[in-house]
């Protein structure tokens, strides 16, 4: 591995923090935001079903509409954009779209695809599994979005404090999806609050 590249990755991870105060004059273009989201879709997911959907609040009008649903947190309107991370409760419906191109290109045998499709279909008879998978896999994309945003010079904050039911109703979100978090994106005007991390010994068990 290239040492400089590895150091750059570690710098990004060490410098990322939750920013709640943004320069509201900084705009992020649709092209830049699309690039960040494209990188987010490179996140891993179970069976590669890609259990995420992004609702993007880019305009000032959209962010103002979101503001009361997010309990009037100022970062909603001060940030350059807010991305709602949704988890797909019916990611099994993506099976053919994910695997058929691989079969057609000769990268995957059709019988293997059918075996995988059977595994997926059986797993998704359990609604609890579907919900857990939606949260787990969409959260991987959320973290990837925050990392690539920091690498591109933007700051972020993951927001769990918003009215989920009101969000679903106000923005006509399909019941196929479950809202997981909001992520504000922009340029910080204040540093993050000082935070602490638990010692590794406290959060790990070695066997």
């Amino acid at each position: 591995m290239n040492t400089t590249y590895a150091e750059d990755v570690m710098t990004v991870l060490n410098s990322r923090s939750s920013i709640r105060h943004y320069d509201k004059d900084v705009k992020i273009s649709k092209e830049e935001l699309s690039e960040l989201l494209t990188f987010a879709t490179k996140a891993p997911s179970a069976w590669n079903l890609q259990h995420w959907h992004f609702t993007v609040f880019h305009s000032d009008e959209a962010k103002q509409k979101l503001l009361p649903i997010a309990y009037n947190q100022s970062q909603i309107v001060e940030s350059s954009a807010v991305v709602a991370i949704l988890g797909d409760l019916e990611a099994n419906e993506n099976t053919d779209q994910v695997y058929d191109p691989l079969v057609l290109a000769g990268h995957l045998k059709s019988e293997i695809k059918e075996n995988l499709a059977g595994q997926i279909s059986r797993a998704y008879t359990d609604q609890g599994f579907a919900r857990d998978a939606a949260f787990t896999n969409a959260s991987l994309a959320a973290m990837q979005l925050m990392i690539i945003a920091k690498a591109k010079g933007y700051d972020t904050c993951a927001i769990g404090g918003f009215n989920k039911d009101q969000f679903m109703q106000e923005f006509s979100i399909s019941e196929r999806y479950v809202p997981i978090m909001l992520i504000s994106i922009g340029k910080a005007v204040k540093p993050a609050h000082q935070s602490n991390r638990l010692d590794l010994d406290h959060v790990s068990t070695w066997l």
Side-chain angles (χ1 to χ4, degrees):
M1 178 183 290
N2 183 288
T3 303
T4 302
Y5 177 77
E7 289 172 350
D8 288 345
V9 171
M10 288 187 285
T11 297
V12 168
L13 292 174
N14 279 322
S15 60
R16 188 218 59 80
S17 56
S18 296
I19 295 297
R20 293 172 175 81
H21 299 283
Y22 296 89
D23 183 344
K24 55 188 175 184
D25 294 326
V26 172
K27 305 298 181 185
I28 181 170
S29 69
K30 183 177 181 180
E31 290 72 25
E32 286 180 288
L33 201 47
S34 295
E35 182 184 24
L36 297 182
L37 292 170
T38 298
F39 273 104
T41 66
K42 304 296 183 182
S45 60
W47 287 297
N48 194 31
L49 292 177
Q50 302 163 58
H51 313 58
W52 43 72
H53 189 85
F54 309 116
T55 301
V56 183
F57 297 85
H58 192 212
S59 68
D60 290 339
E61 293 78 11
K63 288 184 287 181
Q64 283 289 346
K65 200 171 180 181
L66 177 62
L67 183 62
I69 295 170
Y71 306 129
N72 295 308
Q73 296 176 74
S74 61
Q75 58 185 300
I76 298 296
V77 290
E78 290 177 356
S79 60
S80 303
V82 178
V83 177
I85 307 295
L86 310 181
D88 189 352
L89 297 168
E90 300 174 13
N92 55 307
E93 296 294 333
N94 296 336
T95 301
D96 289 343
Q97 194 172 354
V98 167
Y99 289 113
D100 283 352
L102 297 175
V103 173
L104 287 172
H107 300 309
L108 185 71
K109 292 182 178 179
S110 58
E111 56 266 30
I112 295 177
K113 183 255 180 174
E114 292 307 317
N115 182 47
L116 291 169
Q119 293 176 18
I120 293 165
S121 180
R122 288 189 293 274
Y124 273 81
T125 60
D126 181 346
Q127 291 185 348
F129 173 88
R131 185 175 176 83
D132 287 348
F135 271 82
T136 300
N137 293 285
S139 293
L140 291 172
M143 189 70 247
Q144 191 133 318
L145 174 59
M146 289 186 282
I147 291 171
I148 190 60
K150 188 62 181 175
K152 291 285 188 176
Y154 289 100
D155 299 291
T156 60
C157 184
I159 305 166
F162 64 105
N163 187 314
K164 313 294 195 298
D165 292 334
Q166 193 177 353
F167 177 89
M168 295 285 287
Q169 182 176 355
E170 181 66 31
F171 301 109
S172 301
I173 305 298
S174 166
E175 290 186 359
R176 172 172 176 164
Y177 301 105
V178 56
I180 295 173
M181 70 184 80
L182 307 174
I183 297 178
S184 54
I185 303 173
K187 298 274 191 176
V189 290
K190 285 185 183 180
H193 297 304
Q194 188 63 43
S195 64
N196 186 34
R197 289 295 184 269
L198 298 171
D199 290 338
L200 183 60
D201 287 344
H202 187 82
V203 298
S204 64
T205 302
W206 295 60
L207 303 175

